[in-house]
Amino acid sequence: MNILLTYTVFFAVLLIAELLYFRIAERFGIIDKPNQYSSHTGVALRGGGIIFLIGMWIWSVWFGLLYPWTLVAVTLAAGISFADDIHSLPNSVRLVVQFVAMGLMFYELDILHLNMWWIVPIALVVCVGATNIYNFMDGINGLTGGYSLTILISLLLMNGHTEFIEDSFLVMSMLSVLVFCIFNFRSENKAKCFAGDVGSVSIAFILLFCIGKLILAKSDVTWLIFMIVYGVDGCLTICHRIMLHENLGETHRKHAYQLLANELGFDHVCVSALYMALQLAISLVMVYLIPDTKLWHWCYLIVVLTILSLAYFLFMKKCYHLHEEWLRER
């Protein structure tokens, strides 16, 4: 079968699967009701991001079980997250399952060796932390889908330079994200569905697996720069909340993207597009302009990290008082 026709059929199957899930979600009342910290006021279906897991299963069945342990890992992580979407679970339960799932993915990546005993625990903490930051960043329409699509495009372009994973895996993931974006990449209160924890966690696992394959192929951890915009916003917001002595397990709206969408009133699509454009520009410079040496990569990573962190601090210094005013009014 022609490859273009094959992917067209896959897209149609994914679209039908998403629509079928909507029927199920409506039947069983799997909806997202906004609270005082939400960036939306309308009701939408929750868990539309389950299409990312469905896409991985379809790819695995069609192309063969090339990554069986990763498939199990994503299914475990998505399963516990979907259960949490339906009925809130203790954080400890979700974290235990995520660490187990990440361990299975590490087994797939073949890094569970005695001579790497000191690296694996650090990598586990970093990757599980990155997964939860990805989940925290899922707060406005289009951000999870659009940002994930940006990373997948960068990975696909990089795969053309250094083949580290099957193109079909990246393309199938992109198709899943595109289907989700049809119903989510919309202005405030116009989204048909939200990703839910099942979506943000499963796509985070998929992206971390792909980036992990790239890091191992190049022996260069700086390729984590493909997620640096989320990383800076997520990590610095956590640090900010720690300084404010807040409970990190409680909901909030202190991320930079939340201030842009809520306090400053920018449209959700515009904010999501800003994050996409910023990450894509950073990634393309890394792929096409920076010399392919570790020294240059580390220098570029440090420069980008410094600029983004400085931009975050200046933005918060100028605009955070608006959030404080909202808190007082609330």
Side-chain angles (χ1 to χ4, degrees):
M1 185 183 297
N2 180 275
I3 190 66
L4 180 59
L5 177 59
T6 300
Y7 287 134
T8 302
V9 171
F10 284 152
F11 182 82
V13 171
L14 289 167
L15 183 60
I16 293 171
E18 185 77 307
L19 293 173
L20 287 175
Y21 171 75
F22 290 166
R23 297 291 297 273
I24 295 172
E26 290 169 351
R27 171 68 177 81
F28 293 97
I30 308 175
I31 58 176
D32 189 293
K33 296 181 179 179
N35 57 42
Q36 59 187 341
Y37 292 102
S38 299
S39 297
H40 60 278
T41 56
V43 176
L45 299 175
R46 178 184 292 181
I50 197 171
I51 196 65
F52 308 143
L53 175 62
I54 294 173
M56 188 171 182
W57 270 98
I58 293 174
W59 179 85
S60 298
V61 170
W62 184 264
F63 290 96
L65 290 172
L66 300 179
Y67 306 128
W69 293 108
T70 299
L71 180 63
V72 174
V74 176
T75 302
L76 275 177
I80 195 68
S81 299
F82 188 63
D84 187 59
D85 282 332
I86 297 174
H87 188 276
S88 183
L89 298 175
N91 291 334
S92 57
V93 174
R94 291 188 290 108
L95 283 174
V96 168
V97 175
Q98 286 176 8
F99 271 104
V100 171
M102 195 62 69
L104 292 173
M105 197 168 78
F106 280 14
Y107 180 76
E108 185 83 74
L109 291 170
D110 194 27
I111 62 173
L112 299 181
H113 302 297
L114 288 177
N115 61 339
M116 300 178 65
W117 65 268
W118 62 277
I119 296 178
V120 172
I122 297 173
L124 276 172
V125 172
V126 169
C127 289
V128 171
T131 298
N132 284 282
I133 286 175
Y134 217 91
N135 192 17
F136 296 157
M137 295 293 290
D138 180 30
I140 62 173
N141 295 351
L143 190 55
T144 293
Y147 191 79
S148 300
L149 186 61
T150 296
I151 297 175
L152 288 166
I153 291 172
S154 303
L155 288 166
L156 188 61
L157 293 173
M158 187 59 202
N159 206 41
H161 286 273
T162 302
E163 187 173 353
F164 58 92
I165 196 170
E166 285 73 16
D167 271 352
S168 59
F169 183 80
L170 296 173
V171 173
M172 194 66 174
S173 299
M174 290 173 65
L175 293 177
S176 302
V177 172
L178 284 171
V179 167
F180 173 71
C181 285
I182 291 174
F183 304 101
N184 180 259
F185 202 91
R186 303 179 180 182
S187 298
E188 182 183 356
N189 298 328
K190 293 184 179 180
K192 172 69 175 180
C193 70
F194 298 142
D197 288 358
V198 61
S200 54
V201 169
S202 59
I203 194 63
F205 263 74
I206 291 170
L207 294 174
L208 285 170
F209 173 68
C210 296
I211 294 174
K213 294 276 286 183
L214 174 58
I215 289 173
L216 292 173
K218 303 288 288 184
S219 299
D220 188 353
V221 74
T222 60
W223 290 103
L224 284 170
I225 200 171
F226 280 176
M227 302 178 76
I228 196 169
V229 176
Y230 259 26
V232 169
D233 191 336
C235 291
L236 291 184
T237 300
I238 290 174
C239 293
H240 187 192
R241 296 190 68 206
I242 291 174
M243 292 172 61
L244 294 173
H245 306 289
E246 292 185 357
N247 183 349
L248 298 181
E250 294 181 353
T251 55
H252 69 98
R253 44 189 274 178
K254 290 181 169 64
H255 286 288
Y257 75 86
Q258 290 172 317
L259 265 69
L260 285 167
N262 299 320
E263 278 71 19
L264 295 179
F266 285 93
D267 187 83
H268 287 202
V269 170
C270 293
V271 177
S272 298
L274 173 64
Y275 273 66
M276 291 172 64
L278 188 57
Q279 181 62 69
L280 185 60
I282 292 170
S283 300
L284 291 181
V285 170
M286 181 73 160
V287 173
Y288 290 110
L289 299 181
I290 301 300
D292 192 15
T293 65
K294 290 184 180 180
L295 176 60
W296 277 97
H297 285 180
W298 276 106
C299 289
Y300 180 60
L301 177 64
I302 292 171
V303 169
V304 171
L305 185 61
T306 302
I307 293 174
L308 288 178
S309 300
L310 181 60
Y312 177 92
F313 286 129
L314 292 176
F315 175 74
M316 286 296 173
K317 183 177 181 180
K318 182 177 182 179
C319 300
Y320 186 71
H321 70 93
L322 297 173
H323 180 68
E324 292 178 323
E325 293 173 5
W326 174 81
L327 287 174
R328 286 194 294 269
E329 292 174 359
R330 182 176 63 85

